[in-house]
Amino acid sequence: MKVYSVNFLLKGKTPYKDLAPVFPDILKLLLDDIGQMPEEEEILQMLIDLNMSDLEQNRKPEGYNRKGKIRLVFPMDRSEFYLKTYSKSQDLNRLADTISNLMTDAGIKFTVTQNEDVEFD
């Protein structure tokens, strides 16, 4: 079964800053999976630093919403993030499982929902 979005909903009052320890690994995993890992270490570090400064201040980070197979989106109105693909041939299950394991190992409280053919604004 192909999943077109996987939402990671932070439980209760889990703050964004709890994601800080695992965010670099999540972003690297995503970029590697979609073949968009920057060749220059400085560019990768810039992408990480942009998000980490927000996370460390408990603010919604930018995520990775550039053109690609999968996007990492932090919506404005909810404490969550989601992986989203426009391609029905792109399976998010393996990537979602790895991210879930990273978050569980870090002690982050969350739930995961998977959606097919979700309409995004």
Short mmCIF file of all heavy atoms in Angstrom, two decimals, residues 56-121:
data_model
loop_
_atom_site.label_atom_id
_atom_site.label_comp_id
_atom_site.label_asym_id
_atom_site.label_seq_id
_atom_site.Cartn_x
_atom_site.Cartn_y
_atom_site.Cartn_z
N GLU A 56 15.30 25.06 18.67
CA GLU A 56 15.88 25.34 19.98
C GLU A 56 15.14 26.46 20.72
O GLU A 56 15.18 26.52 21.94
CB GLU A 56 17.37 25.66 19.83
CG GLU A 56 18.17 24.42 19.46
CD GLU A 56 19.57 24.71 18.97
OE1 GLU A 56 19.91 25.90 18.72
OE2 GLU A 56 20.34 23.74 18.82
N GLN A 57 14.46 27.33 19.96
CA GLN A 57 13.65 28.38 20.57
C GLN A 57 12.17 27.99 20.63
O GLN A 57 11.32 28.83 20.86
CB GLN A 57 13.83 29.69 19.79
CG GLN A 57 15.26 30.21 19.87
CD GLN A 57 15.45 31.46 19.07
OE1 GLN A 57 14.59 32.34 19.08
NE2 GLN A 57 16.57 31.55 18.37
N ASN A 58 11.90 26.70 20.42
CA ASN A 58 10.56 26.13 20.49
C ASN A 58 9.58 26.78 19.50
O ASN A 58 8.41 26.97 19.80
CB ASN A 58 10.01 26.19 21.92
CG ASN A 58 8.91 25.17 22.12
OD1 ASN A 58 8.93 24.10 21.52
ND2 ASN A 58 7.94 25.51 22.94
N ARG A 59 10.10 27.09 18.32
CA ARG A 59 9.26 27.65 17.25
C ARG A 59 9.14 26.64 16.12
O ARG A 59 9.99 25.78 15.95
CB ARG A 59 9.88 28.93 16.71
CG ARG A 59 9.94 30.05 17.69
CD ARG A 59 10.39 31.34 17.03
NE ARG A 59 11.58 31.16 16.22
CZ ARG A 59 12.66 31.94 16.29
NH1 ARG A 59 12.70 32.95 17.13
NH2 ARG A 59 13.69 31.72 15.51
N LYS A 60 8.10 26.80 15.33
CA LYS A 60 7.89 25.95 14.16
C LYS A 60 9.04 26.20 13.18
O LYS A 60 9.29 27.31 12.78
CB LYS A 60 6.56 26.31 13.50
CG LYS A 60 6.26 25.51 12.25
CD LYS A 60 5.14 26.12 11.44
CE LYS A 60 5.61 27.11 10.44
NZ LYS A 60 6.52 26.66 9.39
N PRO A 61 9.74 25.13 12.78
CA PRO A 61 10.84 25.29 11.83
C PRO A 61 10.33 25.32 10.39
O PRO A 61 9.16 25.06 10.11
CB PRO A 61 11.71 24.07 12.08
CG PRO A 61 10.75 23.04 12.55
CD PRO A 61 9.68 23.78 13.32
N GLU A 62 11.24 25.63 9.48
CA GLU A 62 10.92 25.69 8.06
C GLU A 62 10.64 24.31 7.47
O GLU A 62 9.79 24.14 6.62
CB GLU A 62 12.09 26.34 7.31
CG GLU A 62 11.91 26.37 5.81
CD GLU A 62 13.12 26.93 5.09
OE1 GLU A 62 13.83 27.78 5.66
OE2 GLU A 62 13.36 26.51 3.96
N GLY A 63 11.41 23.30 7.90
CA GLY A 63 11.29 21.97 7.30
C GLY A 63 12.08 21.92 6.01
O GLY A 63 13.08 22.61 5.84
N TYR A 64 11.63 21.13 5.07
CA TYR A 64 12.26 21.04 3.75
C TYR A 64 11.13 20.97 2.74
O TYR A 64 10.57 19.91 2.48
CB TYR A 64 13.16 19.80 3.64
CG TYR A 64 13.99 19.81 2.38
CD1 TYR A 64 15.12 20.60 2.28
CD2 TYR A 64 13.61 19.06 1.28
CE1 TYR A 64 15.87 20.63 1.12
CE2 TYR A 64 14.35 19.08 0.11
CZ TYR A 64 15.49 19.87 0.04
OH TYR A 64 16.23 19.89 -1.11
N ASN A 65 10.77 22.13 2.19
CA ASN A 65 9.61 22.24 1.32
C ASN A 65 10.02 22.64 -0.09
O ASN A 65 9.34 23.37 -0.76
CB ASN A 65 8.62 23.25 1.91
CG ASN A 65 7.22 23.08 1.34
OD1 ASN A 65 6.92 22.10 0.69
ND2 ASN A 65 6.38 24.06 1.58
N ARG A 66 11.18 22.14 -0.51
CA ARG A 66 11.66 22.43 -1.85
C ARG A 66 11.18 21.36 -2.82
O ARG A 66 10.79 20.27 -2.43
CB ARG A 66 13.18 22.49 -1.84
CG ARG A 66 13.67 23.72 -1.09
CD ARG A 66 15.13 23.58 -0.71
NE ARG A 66 15.62 24.73 0.02
CZ ARG A 66 15.43 24.96 1.30
NH1 ARG A 66 14.72 24.13 2.02
NH2 ARG A 66 15.92 26.03 1.88
N LYS A 67 11.23 21.71 -4.10
CA LYS A 67 10.79 20.76 -5.13
C LYS A 67 11.59 19.48 -5.02
O LYS A 67 12.81 19.49 -4.98
CB LYS A 67 10.98 21.39 -6.50
CG LYS A 67 10.37 20.60 -7.62
CD LYS A 67 10.46 21.35 -8.91
CE LYS A 67 9.76 20.56 -10.00
NZ LYS A 67 9.71 21.31 -11.25
N GLY A 68 10.89 18.37 -4.93
CA GLY A 68 11.52 17.07 -4.82
C GLY A 68 10.48 15.98 -4.69
O GLY A 68 9.27 16.26 -4.67
N LYS A 69 10.93 14.75 -4.57
CA LYS A 69 10.02 13.61 -4.46
C LYS A 69 9.19 13.66 -3.18
O LYS A 69 8.03 13.25 -3.17
CB LYS A 69 10.80 12.30 -4.47
CG LYS A 69 11.52 12.02 -5.74
CD LYS A 69 12.32 10.74 -5.59
CE LYS A 69 13.23 10.52 -6.76
NZ LYS A 69 14.11 9.36 -6.56
N ILE A 70 9.82 14.11 -2.09
CA ILE A 70 9.16 14.16 -0.79
C ILE A 70 9.47 15.50 -0.14
O ILE A 70 10.58 16.01 -0.26
CB ILE A 70 9.66 13.02 0.14
CG1 ILE A 70 9.42 11.65 -0.50
CG2 ILE A 70 9.00 13.10 1.50
CD1 ILE A 70 10.07 10.51 0.25
N ARG A 71 8.50 16.04 0.55
CA ARG A 71 8.69 17.29 1.29
C ARG A 71 8.46 17.03 2.77
O ARG A 71 7.64 16.20 3.14
CB ARG A 71 7.72 18.36 0.79
CG ARG A 71 8.00 18.71 -0.66
CD ARG A 71 7.08 19.74 -1.19
NE ARG A 71 7.38 19.97 -2.60
CZ ARG A 71 6.91 20.95 -3.29
NH1 ARG A 71 6.08 21.81 -2.73
NH2 ARG A 71 7.23 21.09 -4.56
N LEU A 72 9.18 17.77 3.60
CA LEU A 72 9.04 17.71 5.05
C LEU A 72 8.42 19.03 5.47
O LEU A 72 9.05 20.08 5.39
CB LEU A 72 10.42 17.53 5.71
CG LEU A 72 10.48 17.61 7.22
CD1 LEU A 72 9.70 16.48 7.87
CD2 LEU A 72 11.94 17.58 7.67
N VAL A 73 7.15 18.98 5.89
CA VAL A 73 6.37 20.19 6.12
C VAL A 73 5.95 20.30 7.59
O VAL A 73 5.48 19.31 8.17
CB VAL A 73 5.11 20.20 5.22
CG1 VAL A 73 4.28 21.44 5.44
CG2 VAL A 73 5.50 20.06 3.76
N PHE A 74 6.09 21.49 8.14
CA PHE A 74 5.59 21.81 9.48
C PHE A 74 4.43 22.78 9.30
O PHE A 74 4.65 23.95 8.97
CB PHE A 74 6.69 22.47 10.33
CG PHE A 74 7.74 21.53 10.80
CD1 PHE A 74 8.81 21.17 9.97
CD2 PHE A 74 7.70 20.99 12.07
CE1 PHE A 74 9.79 20.30 10.40
CE2 PHE A 74 8.68 20.12 12.52
CZ PHE A 74 9.73 19.77 11.68
N PRO A 75 3.17 22.34 9.46
CA PRO A 75 2.04 23.23 9.25
C PRO A 75 1.99 24.34 10.30
O PRO A 75 2.49 24.19 11.41
CB PRO A 75 0.82 22.32 9.37
CG PRO A 75 1.29 21.07 9.98
CD PRO A 75 2.76 21.00 9.84
N MET A 76 1.38 25.44 9.92
CA MET A 76 1.31 26.62 10.79
C MET A 76 0.39 26.42 11.99
O MET A 76 0.65 26.94 13.05
CB MET A 76 0.79 27.83 10.00
CG MET A 76 1.70 28.27 8.89
SD MET A 76 3.27 28.90 9.48
CE MET A 76 2.80 30.41 10.23
N ASP A 77 -0.67 25.64 11.83
CA ASP A 77 -1.72 25.62 12.84
C ASP A 77 -1.73 24.41 13.76
O ASP A 77 -2.62 24.27 14.58
CB ASP A 77 -3.08 25.74 12.15
CG ASP A 77 -3.32 24.63 11.13
OD1 ASP A 77 -2.35 23.93 10.76
OD2 ASP A 77 -4.47 24.46 10.71
N ARG A 78 -0.74 23.50 13.64
CA ARG A 78 -0.75 22.30 14.47
C ARG A 78 0.68 21.95 14.89
O ARG A 78 1.62 22.23 14.18
CB ARG A 78 -1.31 21.12 13.67
CG ARG A 78 -2.72 21.33 13.20
CD ARG A 78 -3.27 20.17 12.38
NE ARG A 78 -2.58 19.81 11.17
CZ ARG A 78 -2.69 20.44 10.00
NH1 ARG A 78 -3.42 21.52 9.91
NH2 ARG A 78 -2.06 20.01 8.93
N SER A 79 0.82 21.28 16.03
CA SER A 79 2.12 20.80 16.49
C SER A 79 2.37 19.44 15.86
O SER A 79 2.06 18.39 16.44
CB SER A 79 2.16 20.70 18.01
OG SER A 79 2.14 21.97 18.58
N GLU A 80 2.88 19.46 14.66
CA GLU A 80 3.14 18.24 13.92
C GLU A 80 4.07 18.56 12.76
O GLU A 80 4.36 19.72 12.47
CB GLU A 80 1.85 17.62 13.38
CG GLU A 80 1.25 18.39 12.22
CD GLU A 80 0.06 17.68 11.58
OE1 GLU A 80 0.29 16.77 10.76
OE2 GLU A 80 -1.07 18.04 11.90
N PHE A 81 4.51 17.52 12.11
CA PHE A 81 5.15 17.66 10.81
C PHE A 81 4.73 16.47 9.98
O PHE A 81 4.25 15.46 10.50
CB PHE A 81 6.68 17.78 10.91
CG PHE A 81 7.40 16.56 11.39
CD1 PHE A 81 7.90 15.63 10.49
CD2 PHE A 81 7.61 16.35 12.75
CE1 PHE A 81 8.57 14.50 10.94
CE2 PHE A 81 8.29 15.24 13.20
CZ PHE A 81 8.77 14.31 12.29
N TYR A 82 4.84 16.61 8.68
CA TYR A 82 4.47 15.49 7.83
C TYR A 82 5.38 15.39 6.63
O TYR A 82 6.01 16.36 6.22
CB TYR A 82 3.00 15.54 7.40
CG TYR A 82 2.55 16.78 6.68
CD1 TYR A 82 2.66 16.88 5.30
CD2 TYR A 82 1.96 17.83 7.37
CE1 TYR A 82 2.22 18.02 4.63
CE2 TYR A 82 1.52 18.96 6.71
CZ TYR A 82 1.65 19.05 5.34
OH TYR A 82 1.22 20.17 4.69
N LEU A 83 5.48 14.18 6.14
CA LEU A 83 6.15 13.89 4.88
C LEU A 83 5.05 13.84 3.84
O LEU A 83 4.01 13.22 4.05
CB LEU A 83 6.86 12.54 4.93
CG LEU A 83 7.90 12.35 6.02
CD1 LEU A 83 8.38 10.91 6.03
CD2 LEU A 83 9.06 13.30 5.82
N LYS A 84 5.29 14.47 2.72
CA LYS A 84 4.27 14.54 1.69
C LYS A 84 4.91 14.25 0.34
O LYS A 84 6.01 14.74 0.06
CB LYS A 84 3.67 15.93 1.73
CG LYS A 84 2.80 16.33 0.58
CD LYS A 84 2.26 17.71 0.84
CE LYS A 84 2.29 18.56 -0.38
NZ LYS A 84 1.79 19.90 -0.15
N THR A 85 4.25 13.45 -0.45
CA THR A 85 4.72 13.18 -1.80
C THR A 85 3.58 13.40 -2.78
O THR A 85 2.41 13.17 -2.45
CB THR A 85 5.31 11.77 -1.95
OG1 THR A 85 5.81 11.61 -3.27
CG2 THR A 85 4.29 10.69 -1.66
N TYR A 86 3.93 13.85 -3.95
CA TYR A 86 2.93 14.03 -5.00
C TYR A 86 2.91 12.82 -5.93
O TYR A 86 2.09 12.73 -6.81
CB TYR A 86 3.26 15.27 -5.83
CG TYR A 86 3.10 16.55 -5.06
CD1 TYR A 86 4.20 17.21 -4.54
CD2 TYR A 86 1.85 17.10 -4.85
CE1 TYR A 86 4.05 18.38 -3.83
CE2 TYR A 86 1.69 18.28 -4.14
CZ TYR A 86 2.80 18.91 -3.64
OH TYR A 86 2.66 20.07 -2.94
N SER A 87 3.83 11.90 -5.72
CA SER A 87 3.97 10.75 -6.59
C SER A 87 3.35 9.51 -5.96
O SER A 87 3.73 9.10 -4.87
CB SER A 87 5.45 10.49 -6.86
OG SER A 87 5.61 9.27 -7.54
N LYS A 88 2.43 8.90 -6.66
CA LYS A 88 1.81 7.68 -6.16
C LYS A 88 2.80 6.52 -6.17
O LYS A 88 2.59 5.52 -5.50
CB LYS A 88 0.58 7.33 -6.99
CG LYS A 88 -0.55 8.30 -6.79
CD LYS A 88 -1.77 7.89 -7.57
CE LYS A 88 -2.88 8.91 -7.33
NZ LYS A 88 -4.12 8.54 -7.97
N SER A 89 3.90 6.66 -6.90
CA SER A 89 4.90 5.59 -6.95
C SER A 89 5.92 5.70 -5.81
O SER A 89 6.71 4.79 -5.61
CB SER A 89 5.62 5.62 -8.30
OG SER A 89 6.38 6.80 -8.42
N GLN A 90 5.90 6.79 -5.07
CA GLN A 90 6.83 6.99 -3.95
C GLN A 90 6.23 6.44 -2.66
O GLN A 90 5.23 6.93 -2.19
CB GLN A 90 7.13 8.49 -3.80
CG GLN A 90 8.22 8.81 -2.81
CD GLN A 90 9.58 8.39 -3.30
OE1 GLN A 90 9.91 8.55 -4.45
NE2 GLN A 90 10.36 7.82 -2.41
N ASP A 91 6.84 5.41 -2.10
CA ASP A 91 6.34 4.78 -0.87
C ASP A 91 7.04 5.40 0.33
O ASP A 91 8.27 5.37 0.41
CB ASP A 91 6.57 3.28 -0.93
CG ASP A 91 5.97 2.55 0.25
OD1 ASP A 91 5.18 3.16 1.00
OD2 ASP A 91 6.28 1.36 0.41
N LEU A 92 6.28 5.93 1.26
CA LEU A 92 6.83 6.61 2.43
C LEU A 92 6.98 5.69 3.64
O LEU A 92 7.54 6.11 4.66
CB LEU A 92 5.92 7.78 2.82
CG LEU A 92 5.76 8.89 1.80
CD1 LEU A 92 4.78 9.93 2.32
CD2 LEU A 92 7.09 9.53 1.48
N ASN A 93 6.52 4.47 3.57
CA ASN A 93 6.50 3.59 4.74
C ASN A 93 7.87 3.38 5.37
O ASN A 93 8.02 3.50 6.59
CB ASN A 93 5.88 2.23 4.40
CG ASN A 93 4.38 2.32 4.23
OD1 ASN A 93 3.71 3.00 4.99
ND2 ASN A 93 3.87 1.65 3.22
N ARG A 94 8.88 3.05 4.58
CA ARG A 94 10.21 2.77 5.12
C ARG A 94 10.80 4.01 5.78
O ARG A 94 11.32 3.96 6.90
CB ARG A 94 11.13 2.27 4.01
CG ARG A 94 12.52 1.87 4.50
CD ARG A 94 13.45 1.49 3.35
NE ARG A 94 13.45 2.42 2.24
CZ ARG A 94 14.06 3.61 2.24
NH1 ARG A 94 14.72 4.00 3.29
NH2 ARG A 94 14.02 4.38 1.18
N LEU A 95 10.70 5.14 5.12
CA LEU A 95 11.21 6.40 5.67
C LEU A 95 10.46 6.77 6.95
O LEU A 95 11.07 7.16 7.95
CB LEU A 95 11.07 7.51 4.62
CG LEU A 95 11.64 8.87 4.95
CD1 LEU A 95 13.13 8.79 5.25
CD2 LEU A 95 11.39 9.83 3.79
N ALA A 96 9.15 6.61 6.96
CA ALA A 96 8.34 6.92 8.14
C ALA A 96 8.71 6.01 9.31
O ALA A 96 8.80 6.47 10.45
CB ALA A 96 6.86 6.79 7.82
N ASP A 97 8.95 4.75 9.04
CA ASP A 97 9.35 3.83 10.10
C ASP A 97 10.69 4.22 10.72
O ASP A 97 10.86 4.18 11.94
CB ASP A 97 9.43 2.39 9.58
CG ASP A 97 8.07 1.78 9.28
OD1 ASP A 97 7.05 2.34 9.75
OD2 ASP A 97 8.03 0.76 8.56
N THR A 98 11.63 4.61 9.89
CA THR A 98 12.95 5.02 10.39
C THR A 98 12.84 6.28 11.23
O THR A 98 13.44 6.38 12.31
CB THR A 98 13.93 5.22 9.22
OG1 THR A 98 13.97 4.02 8.44
CG2 THR A 98 15.33 5.54 9.74
N ILE A 99 12.05 7.25 10.77
CA ILE A 99 11.85 8.49 11.54
C ILE A 99 11.14 8.19 12.85
O ILE A 99 11.51 8.72 13.90
CB ILE A 99 11.09 9.54 10.70
CG1 ILE A 99 11.97 10.03 9.55
CG2 ILE A 99 10.62 10.70 11.57
CD1 ILE A 99 11.28 10.91 8.54
N SER A 100 10.15 7.32 12.82
CA SER A 100 9.44 6.93 14.04
C SER A 100 10.41 6.32 15.05
O SER A 100 10.35 6.63 16.25
CB SER A 100 8.34 5.92 13.74
OG SER A 100 7.29 6.53 13.04
N ASN A 101 11.31 5.48 14.57
CA ASN A 101 12.30 4.86 15.47
C ASN A 101 13.23 5.90 16.07
O ASN A 101 13.55 5.82 17.27
CB ASN A 101 13.09 3.78 14.73
CG ASN A 101 12.27 2.56 14.40
OD1 ASN A 101 11.25 2.30 15.04
ND2 ASN A 101 12.68 1.82 13.39
N LEU A 102 13.67 6.86 15.27
CA LEU A 102 14.54 7.93 15.78
C LEU A 102 13.83 8.71 16.88
O LEU A 102 14.41 9.00 17.93
CB LEU A 102 14.94 8.89 14.66
CG LEU A 102 15.96 8.41 13.64
CD1 LEU A 102 16.05 9.40 12.48
CD2 LEU A 102 17.33 8.24 14.29
N MET A 103 12.57 9.04 16.64
CA MET A 103 11.82 9.84 17.61
C MET A 103 11.52 9.03 18.87
O MET A 103 11.61 9.57 19.98
CB MET A 103 10.53 10.35 16.96
CG MET A 103 10.80 11.39 15.87
SD MET A 103 9.33 11.90 14.97
CE MET A 103 8.34 12.63 16.25
N THR A 104 11.19 7.77 18.72
CA THR A 104 10.92 6.91 19.88
C THR A 104 12.18 6.77 20.73
O THR A 104 12.13 6.89 21.96
CB THR A 104 10.42 5.53 19.43
OG1 THR A 104 9.19 5.71 18.71
CG2 THR A 104 10.19 4.61 20.60
N ASP A 105 13.32 6.54 20.08
CA ASP A 105 14.59 6.40 20.80
C ASP A 105 14.95 7.67 21.55
O ASP A 105 15.61 7.62 22.59
CB ASP A 105 15.72 6.03 19.84
CG ASP A 105 15.58 4.61 19.30
OD1 ASP A 105 14.76 3.83 19.83
OD2 ASP A 105 16.29 4.30 18.31
N ALA A 106 14.51 8.84 21.03
CA ALA A 106 14.79 10.12 21.69
C ALA A 106 13.76 10.44 22.78
O ALA A 106 13.86 11.47 23.44
CB ALA A 106 14.82 11.23 20.66
N GLY A 107 12.74 9.59 22.95
CA GLY A 107 11.74 9.80 23.99
C GLY A 107 10.68 10.84 23.63
O GLY A 107 10.01 11.36 24.51
N ILE A 108 10.52 11.13 22.36
CA ILE A 108 9.52 12.11 21.92
C ILE A 108 8.16 11.43 21.88
O ILE A 108 8.00 10.32 21.37
CB ILE A 108 9.89 12.66 20.53
CG1 ILE A 108 11.25 13.36 20.59
CG2 ILE A 108 8.81 13.61 20.02
CD1 ILE A 108 11.83 13.70 19.24
N LYS A 109 7.15 12.12 22.42
CA LYS A 109 5.79 11.59 22.45
C LYS A 109 5.06 12.05 21.19
O LYS A 109 4.90 13.25 20.96
CB LYS A 109 5.07 12.04 23.70
CG LYS A 109 5.69 11.48 24.95
CD LYS A 109 5.01 11.96 26.19
CE LYS A 109 5.68 11.27 27.37
NZ LYS A 109 5.69 12.03 28.56
N PHE A 110 4.59 11.08 20.40
CA PHE A 110 3.95 11.41 19.13
C PHE A 110 3.06 10.25 18.70
O PHE A 110 3.15 9.14 19.21
CB PHE A 110 5.00 11.69 18.06
CG PHE A 110 5.79 10.47 17.66
CD1 PHE A 110 5.47 9.77 16.50
CD2 PHE A 110 6.85 10.01 18.43
CE1 PHE A 110 6.19 8.63 16.14
CE2 PHE A 110 7.56 8.88 18.08
CZ PHE A 110 7.24 8.19 16.93
N THR A 111 2.20 10.54 17.73
CA THR A 111 1.44 9.50 17.05
C THR A 111 1.66 9.70 15.55
O THR A 111 2.00 10.79 15.09
CB THR A 111 -0.07 9.58 17.36
OG1 THR A 111 -0.56 10.86 16.98
CG2 THR A 111 -0.35 9.33 18.82
N VAL A 112 1.43 8.65 14.80
CA VAL A 112 1.62 8.68 13.35
C VAL A 112 0.30 8.35 12.68
O VAL A 112 -0.39 7.42 13.09
CB VAL A 112 2.69 7.65 12.91
CG1 VAL A 112 2.84 7.64 11.40
CG2 VAL A 112 4.03 7.94 13.56
N THR A 113 -0.04 9.14 11.68
CA THR A 113 -1.19 8.83 10.85
C THR A 113 -0.73 8.79 9.40
O THR A 113 0.16 9.53 9.01
CB THR A 113 -2.33 9.85 11.00
OG1 THR A 113 -1.87 11.14 10.60
CG2 THR A 113 -2.84 9.90 12.42
N GLN A 114 -1.34 7.91 8.64
CA GLN A 114 -1.02 7.80 7.22
C GLN A 114 -2.27 8.08 6.42
O GLN A 114 -3.35 7.62 6.77
CB GLN A 114 -0.49 6.41 6.90
CG GLN A 114 0.80 6.11 7.63
CD GLN A 114 1.33 4.73 7.30
OE1 GLN A 114 0.64 3.90 6.71
NE2 GLN A 114 2.56 4.48 7.66
N ASN A 115 -2.10 8.83 5.36
CA ASN A 115 -3.24 9.22 4.54
C ASN A 115 -2.96 8.92 3.08
O ASN A 115 -1.84 9.10 2.61
CB ASN A 115 -3.52 10.72 4.69
CG ASN A 115 -3.77 11.10 6.11
OD1 ASN A 115 -4.70 10.64 6.73
ND2 ASN A 115 -2.92 11.94 6.66
N GLU A 116 -3.97 8.52 2.38
CA GLU A 116 -3.88 8.34 0.94
C GLU A 116 -4.70 9.43 0.26
O GLU A 116 -5.77 9.79 0.72
CB GLU A 116 -4.42 6.97 0.51
CG GLU A 116 -3.55 5.83 0.97
CD GLU A 116 -4.07 4.51 0.43
OE1 GLU A 116 -4.93 4.50 -0.47
OE2 GLU A 116 -3.59 3.49 0.90
N ASP A 117 -4.18 9.93 -0.83
CA ASP A 117 -4.88 10.92 -1.65
C ASP A 117 -5.38 12.09 -0.80
O ASP A 117 -6.52 12.53 -0.93
CB ASP A 117 -6.05 10.30 -2.40
CG ASP A 117 -5.56 9.27 -3.41
OD1 ASP A 117 -4.52 9.52 -4.03
OD2 ASP A 117 -6.22 8.23 -3.58
N VAL A 118 -4.54 12.61 0.06
CA VAL A 118 -4.90 13.74 0.90
C VAL A 118 -4.84 15.02 0.08
O VAL A 118 -3.93 15.21 -0.72
CB VAL A 118 -3.93 13.84 2.11
CG1 VAL A 118 -4.18 15.09 2.90
CG2 VAL A 118 -4.06 12.62 2.98
N GLU A 119 -5.80 15.88 0.28
CA GLU A 119 -5.79 17.17 -0.39
C GLU A 119 -5.06 18.18 0.49
O GLU A 119 -5.41 18.36 1.66
CB GLU A 119 -7.22 17.66 -0.65
CG GLU A 119 -7.97 16.85 -1.68
CD GLU A 119 -7.36 16.96 -3.06
OE1 GLU A 119 -6.88 18.05 -3.43
OE2 GLU A 119 -7.35 15.94 -3.77
N PHE A 120 -4.04 18.80 -0.03
CA PHE A 120 -3.29 19.83 0.70
C PHE A 120 -3.56 21.17 0.07
O PHE A 120 -3.72 21.28 -1.14
CB PHE A 120 -1.79 19.55 0.65
CG PHE A 120 -1.40 18.31 1.41
CD1 PHE A 120 -1.25 17.09 0.77
CD2 PHE A 120 -1.18 18.36 2.78
CE1 PHE A 120 -0.90 15.96 1.46
CE2 PHE A 120 -0.83 17.24 3.49
CZ PHE A 120 -0.68 16.04 2.83
N ASP A 121 -3.61 22.20 0.90
CA ASP A 121 -3.82 23.55 0.38
C ASP A 121 -2.55 24.10 -0.21
O ASP A 121 -1.49 23.79 0.12
CB ASP A 121 -4.30 24.48 1.50
CG ASP A 121 -5.65 24.01 2.06
OD1 ASP A 121 -6.42 23.43 1.29
OD2 ASP A 121 -5.88 24.23 3.26
#
